[in-house]
Amino acid sequence: MGRWEPNARGRLVEAALELYSSRGYDQTTVAEIAKRAGLSERTFFRHFTDKREVLFGGASEFQEQLVRALDNAPVALPAIDVVAVALEAIAGGFSERHEFARRRQTIIAENAELSERERIKLASLASALADALRRRKVSEPAATLAAEMGIAVFRVAFERWIRETNQPDLPHILRGSFEELKTVTAGK
Amino acid sequence: MGRWEPNARGRLVEAALELYSSRGYDQTTVAEIAKRAGLSERTFFRHFTDKREVLFGGASEFQEQLVRALDNAPVALPAIDVVAVALEAIAGGFSERHEFARRRQTIIAENAELSERERIKLASLASALADALRRRKVSEPAATLAAEMGIAVFRVAFERWIRETNQPDLPHILRGSFEELKTVTAGK
């Protein structure tokens, strides 16, 4: 193992975001990220498998948290409310990451391959939610529909949250978006 | 231009589906598809840009039809009903393609890369629907939510349609799935 580098991971993320923003994701190499962070490539690869993982490394942890929150939701709730409760429960943890999320989203939106990767991650999140609902004995197609609705609402709320600058509250925006979903679906 | 080959496209599709099913998509080459169809590789490339397009070549036509159907839907309808009307309008055209759709879906479900491609195509379909709704002056997030729900419902209905063997009716299944969506979203 190499020597300990203070906050190596945070420095690598910051260096990567700066380079992805200024010169573009495709034009940035791992060597350049490491150099800008004042660290070695070896240290980079102790924290990330590749340059894409700097942007998507949190996805599996997010999925695990979400499934756990869903498993812990009250039994008597309808499927759509189980999904809403689970999403709101973990949305609270996002507040410190607003600045990172905003910069990350700009980089992803400007790159077709990264945008596709983001969509795939969201689809796999929806599949994991549907699996967890079926474990709660929610039948099909209700499980798939509730999971897909939840992820669509989350995406809409997340994008609104990112655009706001005055200490926006993701759980609050999420609740509002679920209300909009109900209005839209009822055809009002 | 080469000589005219009777039903070259249909023969290539049939040969490709047979090979993708029997030996796997990744293990099949364009040369093998052409050979099995009794045609040249050159003829293959007159009809498809690559072996993936045999499975996804219809996607852009489908998107155009769907957007056109949405543009033609009655003005006074709520957004979710506009989406439902548009999807039902083109779902009727699927009845002749049941066997192709069933075989295609099995091949896609068994291959992670193809499944991702299918998800990306559905996401781009949802984006095109949301764009078309905004042109009809549907505001956000209603446009995005109605479009995403429409595609989720279509996916659920399509998978049910594929599994049924006794002359299933996609528009009918689709109507039922929209009803399920309303029930699930209302939390009943």
Side-chain angles (χ1 to χ4, degrees):
Chain A
M1 287 297 289
R3 66 210 158 90
W4 179 78
E5 297 282 2
N7 189 25
R9 192 181 175 94
R11 284 156 63 191
L12 288 164
V13 168
E14 181 57 35
L17 289 183
E18 282 169 14
L19 289 168
Y20 296 167
S21 298
S22 59
R23 76 175 62 170
Y25 173 81
D26 286 334
Q27 285 73 46
T28 301
T29 66
V30 166
E32 290 166 330
I33 296 168
K35 191 176 171 211
R36 189 177 187 108
L39 297 163
S40 67
E41 281 190 66
R42 212 181 134 143
T43 302
F44 179 94
F45 288 116
R46 262 204 295 278
H47 290 277
F48 303 103
T49 53
D50 54 36
K51 67 175 180 170
R52 199 169 72 180
E53 213 204 336
V54 178
L55 300 171
F56 293 98
S60 56
E61 194 198 343
F62 178 65
Q63 184 164 316
E64 280 165 31
Q65 286 178 356
L66 185 55
V67 168
R68 210 176 311 130
L70 198 142
D71 288 341
N72 292 333
V75 175
L77 289 180
I80 190 73
D81 295 336
V82 167
V83 172
V85 162
L87 284 167
E88 279 177 38
I90 57 164
F94 275 67
S95 57
E96 300 152 25
R97 283 183 279 170
H98 188 257
E99 181 60 16
F100 169 75
R102 198 187 54 73
R103 294 168 72 192
R104 174 183 177 278
Q105 214 64 18
T106 305
I107 293 160
I108 288 174
E110 283 168 0
N111 184 296
E113 186 211 320
L114 295 176
S115 299
E116 291 196 350
R117 184 52 33 195
E118 179 85 334
R119 281 298 204 145
I120 293 297
K121 292 283 179 189
L122 289 169
S124 114
L125 212 51
S127 297
L129 277 186
D131 285 345
L133 286 171
R134 283 190 293 269
R135 281 198 302 275
R136 290 174 73 105
K137 311 294 177 210
V138 176
S139 60
E140 281 300 342
T144 293
L145 289 174
E148 295 282 346
M149 297 311 93
I151 296 305
V153 166
F154 185 78
R155 195 163 69 86
V156 158
F158 192 79
E159 283 176 8
R160 214 186 116 201
W161 175 68
I162 278 174
R163 281 196 306 275
E164 291 195 11
T165 48
N166 193 16
Q167 298 194 312
D169 177 11
L170 184 55
H172 178 75
I173 296 173
L174 206 46
R175 264 193 299 281
S177 301
F178 268 104
E179 285 310 309
E180 302 232 41
L181 174 76
K182 294 191 181 205
T183 309
V184 169
T185 313
K188 283 173 195 159
Chain B
M1 288 296 291
R3 66 208 160 88
W4 180 78
E5 297 282 2
N7 190 25
R9 192 181 174 93
R11 282 157 63 191
L12 288 164
V13 167
E14 179 58 33
L17 289 182
E18 281 169 15
L19 288 168
Y20 297 167
S21 298
S22 60
R23 75 176 63 170
Y25 173 81
D26 287 333
Q27 285 73 45
T28 300
T29 66
V30 166
E32 290 165 332
I33 296 168
K35 189 175 172 212
R36 188 175 188 113
L39 296 163
S40 67
E41 281 189 66
R42 212 181 135 146
T43 302
F44 179 94
F45 287 116
R46 263 204 296 280
H47 291 276
F48 303 102
T49 53
D50 54 35
K51 68 175 181 171
R52 199 170 70 180
E53 211 203 337
V54 178
L55 300 171
F56 293 98
S60 57
E61 194 197 343
F62 179 66
Q63 183 165 316
E64 279 164 32
Q65 285 178 356
L66 186 54
V67 167
R68 210 175 310 130
L70 197 142
D71 288 342
N72 292 333
V75 175
L77 289 180
I80 189 73
D81 295 337
V82 167
V83 172
V85 162
L87 284 167
E88 279 176 38
I90 57 164
F94 275 67
S95 57
E96 300 152 25
R97 283 183 278 169
H98 188 257
E99 182 62 15
F100 169 74
R102 197 187 55 71
R103 293 169 70 192
R104 173 183 178 278
Q105 214 64 18
T106 305
I107 292 160
I108 288 174
E110 283 167 2
N111 183 296
E113 186 210 321
L114 295 176
S115 299
E116 291 196 350
R117 184 54 33 197
E118 179 85 333
R119 281 298 203 147
I120 293 297
K121 292 283 179 187
L122 289 170
S124 112
L125 212 52
S127 298
L129 278 186
D131 286 346
L133 286 171
R134 283 190 294 269
R135 282 199 300 275
R136 291 174 72 105
K137 311 294 176 209
V138 175
S139 59
E140 283 297 346
T144 293
L145 289 174
E148 294 282 346
M149 285 186 282
I151 296 305
V153 166
F154 185 79
R155 194 163 68 85
V156 157
F158 192 78
E159 282 175 9
R160 213 186 117 199
W161 175 68
I162 277 174
R163 281 196 306 273
E164 290 195 12
T165 48
N166 193 17
Q167 298 194 311
D169 178 10
L170 184 54
H172 178 75
I173 296 173
L174 205 46
R175 265 192 300 281
S177 301
F178 268 104
E179 285 309 310
E180 302 232 42
L181 173 76
K182 295 192 181 203
T183 310
V184 169
T185 312
K188 283 170 195 160

